[in-house]
Amino acid sequence: MTPLDLLRPTRGDRLVCPYCYTRFTERLILFRCGGRPGPDGRRCAPVEDTAIRAHLGRRERLPPVFAADGRRARALCPDCGVPTGAQVCVTCHARLPVNFGRIPGRLIALVGAREAGKTVFMTVLIHELMHRVGARFQASVGGSDDHTRHRFHTDYESPLYDDARLLGATRRTGVAREPLVFRFTSRRRGPLGRRPRHTLLSFFDTAGEDLTTEASVETNLRYLDNADGIILLLDPLRMRGAHAEAAPGTPPPPRDRSDHPPLDMLSRVTDLLLRRTGSPSRLIPVPMAVCLTKLDVFHDALDPGSPLRRPQPDSPYFDESDSRDVHAQIRRLLHRWDGGRIDAHITNHYAEARYFGVSALGHAPDAEQRLQGGVRPYRVADPFLWMLGGFGVVPSREGRS
């Protein structure tokens, strides 16, 4: 057995890091020294952690990591003798959330071309989970660590909600963007009364056009291979026939990105996921939520009785009846807007897929990319709640359409 084989235990025994999506056994979890003086006065000096820089793109000087039995909550640093409970990933050295490995984790990959509004969608989705959706399901949602809490508020939430300005496009780098990790906590009734139920949620943001080189494919393969669900965002304005039904004055998508049509991006994602099935005769089992974005620009073109003109559900459960109505409506729109090939691709490759129509902003920004009137999202949480319902995290039932 080689050293590499030690990192390849059976799939059922492995945990998945919510930051780099690497699989490993609980025993292999590393510890980071606390950096305090030990019994004899020795202290481990901070060093630049090259694993964090290589995998997450962060430059940080931290006390060193060391190996111990990761199944235990604490370990003694072999150099200074100080006890520590700071557990880190064996690959990227990110600080693992409290009780990691003892609470379920769900890894959600967001995929879409840049003009689909993916970063804005993720920001609004998380904000909705923290506020309106959290209240709807009597749940609390917050960042799993200080770095996530600070990063989400400073880089995502504050510019969009406090400054009312559109977020800039995600920059391409040689390093995969770091996922945002949150904790979804609700209370479930059991034989011992109502007890808290925690679920870790990791959101990974990758652009479909990044899947064009061998290096980018290998970078994103680890994330897509270990994702529990995928939310695919498609810009309907990239489809022939859709722009004619958009609100007057709606600008077309940038021409310099016309070499990445939605079907090509979807096909690249499917190619990666087909490696995961291990058999060409099996449908891809990963739940796929296909979302048409910017629904607000098509509101007036929809029939008055369309499910996409209903108020968004507010019951404390995921409404399956309403969701199936929306699915059927989006499927009709796909065929009307020359997206029939997308529907055929989804039907013939995915075992579990659902269509959604969403609007993250609720209206178009002005010429200076400002949001006059603030953010007014519509159905942004629906695809995510569909997945959580399938995972058993939130209740799902038939409602009244």
Side-chain angles (χ1 to χ4, degrees):
M1 179 178 292
T2 67
L4 184 59
D5 292 326
L6 296 175
L7 293 173
R8 294 174 178 165
T10 59
R11 193 176 187 91
D13 295 333
R14 285 184 284 179
L15 304 171
V16 181
C17 172
Y19 298 96
C20 70
Y21 286 33
T22 299
R23 288 186 176 269
F24 49 84
T25 60
E26 188 176 15
R27 182 191 290 272
L28 291 176
I29 291 175
L30 301 178
F31 290 82
R32 187 180 297 283
C33 177
R36 302 184 304 276
D40 58 0
R42 286 182 300 167
R43 178 191 299 214
C44 292
V47 296
E48 181 175 338
D49 195 311
T50 56
I52 289 181
R53 185 181 65 184
H55 293 278
L56 305 180
R58 281 193 264 147
R59 286 182 172 271
E60 294 189 7
R61 292 184 63 83
L62 298 166
V65 301
F66 60 91
D69 188 347
R71 296 172 300 180
R72 298 183 179 275
R74 300 181 67 80
L76 289 177
C77 175
D79 294 326
C80 65
V82 173
T84 177
Q87 295 185 315
V88 301
C89 170
V90 65
T91 299
C92 69
H93 290 185
R95 174 74 179 265
L96 295 172
V98 176
N99 292 324
F100 176 75
R102 295 172 176 82
I103 59 177
R106 297 298 180 181
L107 315 178
I108 310 298
L110 301 178
V111 182
R114 292 187 180 187
E115 60 269 19
K118 182 164 41 60
T119 302
V120 171
F121 174 88
M122 181 177 68
T123 304
V124 175
L125 169 61
I126 295 172
H127 182 89
E128 286 286 283
L129 291 176
M130 289 179 166
H131 297 87
R132 188 183 64 83
V133 176
R136 173 182 167 189
F137 288 90
Q138 297 184 337
S140 63
V141 180
S144 67
D145 57 82
D146 288 338
H147 178 70
T148 291
R149 287 187 283 268
H150 174 77
R151 180 173 165 234
F152 175 70
H153 177 72
T154 302
D155 298 344
Y156 295 86
E157 187 177 39
S158 182
L160 189 62
Y161 284 87
D162 297 338
D163 302 337
R165 59 181 171 86
L166 204 60
L167 299 170
T170 304
R171 292 181 302 165
R172 293 190 190 185
T173 65
V175 179
R177 289 173 288 279
E178 182 178 355
L180 292 169
V181 183
F182 293 83
R183 185 186 300 266
F184 185 99
T185 303
S186 59
R187 297 185 69 182
R188 286 292 184 89
R189 187 177 301 280
L192 300 178
R194 294 180 63 84
R195 306 183 66 180
R197 175 175 180 174
H198 306 282
T199 304
L200 288 176
L201 304 173
S202 175
F203 297 92
F204 172 64
D205 167 5
T206 181
E209 66 267 33
D210 285 343
L211 309 177
T212 56
T213 67
E214 184 175 351
S216 66
V217 166
E218 292 303 320
T219 296
N220 290 286
L221 176 61
R222 183 176 70 257
Y223 292 91
L224 291 177
D225 187 49
N226 289 312
D228 294 295
I230 296 173
I231 298 178
L232 174 70
L233 303 186
L234 298 179
D235 182 357
L237 295 176
R238 303 293 304 278
M239 301 175 190
R240 290 185 298 174
H243 198 273
E245 299 186 26
T250 300
R255 290 186 177 182
D256 60 340
R257 292 174 185 159
S258 60
D259 58 333
H260 299 294
L263 183 59
D264 286 358
M265 186 270 299
L266 172 59
S267 297
R268 287 194 292 272
V269 173
T270 300
D271 288 344
L272 290 180
L273 294 174
L274 283 173
R275 302 187 189 185
R276 176 172 176 170
T277 66
S279 171
S281 61
R282 288 184 57 198
L283 291 173
I284 296 171
V286 185
M288 170 69 79
V290 181
C291 303
L292 292 191
T293 61
K294 306 176 184 177
L295 193 68
D296 56 285
V297 304
F298 301 100
H299 181 271
D300 293 342
L302 298 172
D303 295 333
S306 168
L308 296 175
R309 297 188 68 163
R310 296 174 188 159
Q312 50 192 336
D314 59 1
S315 302
Y317 56 85
F318 178 72
D319 190 328
E320 271 288 345
S321 300
D322 174 78
S323 181
R324 284 197 299 270
D325 288 347
V326 170
H327 172 89
Q329 172 73 89
I330 294 296
R331 192 173 191 180
R332 288 192 293 269
L333 291 177
L334 280 174
H335 285 268
R336 192 163 88 198
W337 293 341
D338 197 33
R341 293 172 63 201
I342 293 175
D343 180 43
H345 184 99
I346 292 291
T347 301
N348 289 301
H349 287 90
Y350 292 88
E352 190 176 3
R354 184 70 60 91
Y355 294 143
F356 299 88
V358 304
S359 176
L361 299 177
H363 61 108
D366 62 21
E368 297 180 350
Q369 300 298 291
R370 294 283 180 174
L371 297 170
Q372 302 298 332
V375 181
R376 300 193 296 268
Y378 179 69
R379 290 187 176 270
V380 167
D382 284 9
F384 185 72
L385 292 175
W386 171 67
M387 289 187 180
L388 290 190
F391 298 149
V393 176
V394 301
S396 179
R397 67 181 68 165
E398 297 291 333
R400 291 189 297 176
S401 300

